[in-house]
Structures are given as structure tokens and as C-alpha cells.
Amino acid sequence: MTDLPILPSGFRFGASTASYQIEGAVDEDGRGPTIWDTFTHEPGRIRGGDTGDVAIDHYHRWEGDLDLLAELGIHDYRFSIAWSRILPQGTGAVEPRGLAFYDRLVDGLLARGIRPVPTLYHWDLPQALEDRGGWLSRDTAEALGDYVGVVVDRLGDRVRDWITLNEMSVQTLYGYALTDHAPGRGLGFGALPVAHHQLLAHGHAVARLRAAGAERVGVAQQHFPVVPASGAMEDLVAAGTFAAITNWLFADPLLAGRYPEELRPLIPVDDAQLAEDLALISAPLDFYGVNYYEPMLVEAPREGADYAGAAEVDLPEGLPFALLPYPSEERTDFGWAIAPDQLTAILRELRERYPNLPPVVITEGGASFHDGPGADGAVHDARRIAYLDAHLRAVADAVAAGVDVRGYYTWSAFDNFEWAAGNDERFGLVYVDYATQERIRKDSFAWYRDVIAAQP
Ligand code: IFM
């Protein structure tokens, strides 16, 4: 066998997906509309006009998809549950056909020897709740708690591992502060209540899961390591502010029971309420999920500089920080910097910042490369293999440096609908032909299977 990355014994290998990105069947079995259904149907929002209406049709093809996962040999499968399949209006009447779908999925995974790790909320907010204020309303946090209660009542006898919310930072910033993701509000700093309400929703979810006897409860957070463009004081300050907004605004309340001081004034509750909320938000977790893709290079905005197109997110003018392209030798086909050393760096930073950091699971890691079937019909995605190899070794480096990392879930099991970028960005180990829904195992599929099989 060639030289494959080896992780400590008991390390869990997995793969991740999310409901709106794979399921399709948006009008079936009583599913209610979500903010992503609305957003994708607004002209100009999504590259190429793609939607998740059909996606990879997993709702109908789930059995074959689970067979592929079994062949891959993963220990854990992280998928997400669509709130509006369970409660089409976000609150109120429960849709039994929605619950039955996830029931079958969980049983199908267990029958194949794969541990189900559902995420309870991966961005697909029921539109009915958005119409009542969405994440700007505190009621949405409580509604999420009630929805989680319904799900855990039904699946809690078989599901042991739960993830509350996925990447609160991305939905807050891209969906409410900017306009790149649903619901596309563009509120700038006015989006800060969204952060608090999502954190509160997480707190309610943890309480419900604990009350139902859940064994392992965690959260999945995107972490961008933030690198200052120079050692000059103004760049250090700019990088610190950017890191506070993207990383610490979420991780500090979860892991240290406080907000970064400079952002506290933007959180819409008085001190007494805040203390109560933070106690709920910072309830101990069994694992902390880190989604890692790339670092961000940040500087203090220079007079007259034009930052448009410099990084993949264009920020509005007037902010106290600017994004630059991170200087990596290689980039993914999505244009993202490839920097595995920064995965080690952010893991070490988390351990240093939070004395109570629970064991970490890398709940997402992967890359979009556009490789498709060649003349031989196969998909030779050598760059994805190199990417995953380097990032698994970066995790091993973090473990050697004393960070307790227990698992790595690749994003993604299958090519899928990549939000604002539509269907062109392909993150899967399995290629999906969107016209025919044919699945083709990429070379990285066999490689990942071999890596899992080679572990002690
Ligand atoms: O596709 C997304 C996923 O839904 C959340 N994390 C990042 C992935 C790649 O952009």
C-alpha cells in the first residue's frame, strides 16, 4: 500500500451533506417552502440560474446513495434534516411523511453499519418563519427548540450523535449582513441579532437533546484562520476585528460564555437577559465541529485602493478591514486558497483560546474541482486526493501538537448544489451527472476508502 495518512486509533472518518443541497423533491410529501426555495427562484441570485428543486434527487435515490456510502466504508454520515419537512410552517402541525423519510434514512444507515450524525439546521429556514422576522426574531430560536423536540422524540432511540446548527457565521454574514445567501437581507452590522438568535437556538436545541438523553451533542462552525497582511499595527487591528466577527462572535459565547467585548453593544438584550442567554448558549458540548476551507488575509483598507474581486467575497466599502487574496501556491477550481497548515493553525488557536474546548471533529473539509468523466468514463480527480491527503496530515499535526481531534468528515460525499455558485462547483467523492442523475465514483472515492481501511 502507498503512503496513506494515518490517524490515531479510534479516529472516525465520515462524509457530510445537507438537505437542500442534495434532496430535491421540494414540493413532495408536504414539505413547506424555505428561504432557499424563495432565494433560488429570484432572478440573478444563483450562478447559471440553478436551484435545489431537484439537486441530486437524493430524496428518491437515498437507498442507492447509502449503498455507495457503505462501499466507501465511512464510520459516520453527517446529513441534515429539513425543518420544513417536519414542520412545514416552522411551527404547529407536524408532517408525518417528513419524519418517516428521516426514519428510513436512519434505519438504512444503521443497517449498513454507518453511524447517523444529523445536523438539525443547515440554513434551510422555513419561509413561514422568515415571513415573521426570520433569525432577526427571538421567537425563531424558540421555534427551533420545539422542532428539535419533535425530531429527537422520533429518532432519539437510534441516533446517538447530534449537531445543532451548521455555520451560524455564514448564514449571519452572507445571508443577513450581505446578500450572497438566502434570505439576502444586506443589513450590515444590523445583522448582529441574527448571531445571537442562532446561538440561542443552539442553546435551546442542546437543552432539548439533553432532556431526551442524547449521548453526544455538538455544533458545526466554519472557522477561517485570519492572517494579517503585515505586522503593522493597523493591519493587526483590522485582522483582529475581522476575526472577532467571523470566528469569536460565535465561538466565544459557545465555548467561553461571553461575547467579544467590542461586539457586545450590538447584541440586542440587556445585561440580565444576556447572562441568562449565555448560560444556555454555553452549556457543555461533547464535541466541537470545525468546518475548514481556507484562511483569510486581512489588511486595514488603504486610501484609494480598489478591493473589488480581490477575494471571493466583495465587502461593502467603509468597513474597518479589507480582504486580499491569500498567497497560496495552489487554489481549488472555486478559487479558494489551499493551505493545510492553516487548518493545523486554527486548531491550535482554538485549543489555546478555550481551556474547556471539547474534543474536536472536523465536520467539513474538502474542495471543489471541476473534473468530470474522461474518455475512459472515469473521473480522475488527483487534485482532490492531494488536497485530502494534505489536510488529513494537517489534522495529524494538530493531534501531535496536543489538540484532541476525533474525526474528519469530508465535504462532500456527492457533488451537490453549492448555494450561490449553483451546480458548477463540485465537492463530491462521487460525481453526479445532473442531466441523468448517474453517480460515478471519482478516484478520490477509492482513495478515501483505502485510507479508512488502512487505519489501525
Ligand atoms: O457547501 C457548503 C456547506 O453547505 C457548508 N460549508 C461549506 C460548504 C462548501 O462551500
Side-chain angles (χ1 to χ4, degrees):
M1 181 153 294
T2 50
D3 175 30
L4 296 172
I6 298 295
L7 278 298
S9 152
F11 191 85
R12 300 194 67 84
F13 284 85
S16 294
T17 61
S19 45
Y20 187 73
Q21 296 180 271
I22 63 167
E23 286 179 0
V26 291
D27 289 328
E28 274 181 58
D29 290 343
R31 176 188 179 277
T34 72
I35 54 174
W36 274 96
D37 297 297
T38 307
F39 191 74
T40 54
H41 284 268
E42 287 169 3
R45 294 289 201 185
I46 309 295
R47 198 197 291 171
D50 292 332
T51 72
D53 289 1
V54 177
I56 67 163
D57 197 29
H58 174 75
Y59 194 75
H60 300 117
R61 295 167 194 262
W62 63 273
E63 287 191 89
D65 288 343
L66 297 199
D67 287 343
L68 282 166
L69 298 181
E71 185 185 323
L72 185 58
I74 50 173
H75 309 125
D76 298 350
Y77 174 51
R78 174 181 175 232
F79 59 98
S80 81
I81 295 178
W83 185 343
S84 77
R85 284 199 193 281
I86 311 299
L87 294 150
Q89 298 304 309
T91 54
V94 174
E95 172 50 75
R97 291 170 293 178
L99 276 174
F101 172 69
Y102 295 107
D103 219 28
R104 293 194 293 275
L105 197 68
V106 163
D107 286 344
L109 287 165
L110 293 171
R112 289 166 178 80
I114 301 170
R115 196 186 267 181
V117 185
T119 303
L120 288 150
Y121 178 72
H122 194 124
W123 302 351
D124 41 1
L125 186 72
Q127 182 63 44
L129 292 182
E130 178 62 24
D131 295 343
R132 305 207 296 266
W135 286 110
L136 289 164
S137 162
R138 195 177 165 95
D139 292 347
T140 301
E142 285 178 26
L144 182 127
D146 293 342
Y147 147 68
V148 170
V150 173
V151 174
V152 71
D153 264 5
R154 177 65 174 260
L155 303 179
D157 57 337
R158 285 152 291 151
V159 172
R160 307 265 176 267
D161 302 70
W162 299 89
I163 292 175
T164 57
L165 280 79
N166 179 71
E167 297 180 3
M168 301 173 211
S169 58
V170 177
Q171 185 150 69
T172 304
L173 300 173
Y174 286 40
Y176 284 84
L178 306 172
T179 55
D180 305 60
H181 279 191
R185 295 277 201 113
L187 301 171
F189 281 97
L192 267 280
V194 170
H196 187 64
H197 296 147
Q198 293 207 353
L199 286 160
L200 200 55
H202 160 84
H204 285 304
V206 174
R208 294 296 185 122
L209 293 164
R210 295 286 182 220
E215 247 173 71
R216 286 173 294 270
V217 178
V219 63
Q221 286 291 85
Q222 165 98 252
H223 276 289
F224 302 107
V226 178
V227 181
S230 81
M233 185 52 79
E234 63 267 28
D235 288 339
L236 296 177
V237 170
T241 306
F242 186 75
I245 291 170
T246 52
N247 289 318
W248 317 134
L249 169 63
F250 302 89
D252 280 4
L254 290 167
L255 299 172
R258 57 172 151 73
Y259 273 107
E261 221 169 282
E262 64 273 39
L263 297 175
R264 163 65 186 103
L266 298 172
I267 305 301
V269 285
D270 64 29
D271 285 351
Q273 184 66 63
L274 186 65
E276 205 180 293
D277 290 355
L278 283 170
L280 193 69
I281 292 167
S282 61
L285 295 173
D286 303 297
F287 63 95
Y288 185 71
V290 172
N291 296 356
Y292 170 73
Y293 290 92
E294 64 167 345
M296 295 284 164
L297 188 69
V298 177
E299 72 173 17
R302 305 291 195 257
E303 189 83 33
D306 179 8
Y307 294 102
E312 83 261 10
V313 195
D314 276 337
L315 297 175
E317 281 176 22
L319 292 172
F321 43 75
L323 293 177
L324 299 173
Y326 186 82
S328 62
E329 276 169 29
E330 290 171 285
R331 309 190 88 79
T332 71
D333 286 345
F334 207 165
W336 296 1
I338 300 181
D341 59 317
Q342 289 297 323
L343 171 56
T344 315
I346 189 71
L347 291 171
R348 295 183 69 160
E349 189 172 1
L350 287 168
R351 197 203 45 175
E352 275 151 31
R353 191 174 176 98
Y354 303 112
N356 295 331
L357 181 69
V360 169
V361 175
I362 309 301
T363 35
E364 284 182 28
S368 169
F369 292 111
H370 298 168
D371 311 285
D376 58 357
V379 181
H380 301 299
D381 59 337
R383 292 175 298 166
R384 178 170 292 98
I385 293 175
Y387 182 99
L388 291 173
D389 183 274
H391 285 76
L392 284 168
R393 289 175 201 275
V395 171
D397 289 347
V399 172
V403 189
D404 185 3
V405 189
R406 303 273 178 93
Y408 187 94
Y409 301 167
T410 182
W411 185 270
S412 176
F414 314 98
D415 288 344
N416 59 51
F417 175 78
E418 177 53 25
W419 308 113
N423 292 338
D424 291 345
E425 300 302 339
R426 293 181 172 273
F427 282 86
L429 300 180
V430 174
Y431 179 89
V432 178
D433 179 331
Y434 287 98
T436 63
Q437 293 294 346
E438 186 190 358
R439 273 71 166 143
I440 302 173
R441 298 161 188 78
K442 300 182 189 178
D443 286 356
S444 57
F445 180 97
W447 179 86
Y448 200 55
R449 185 196 58 208
D450 291 348
V451 169
I452 298 169
Q455 299 304 307

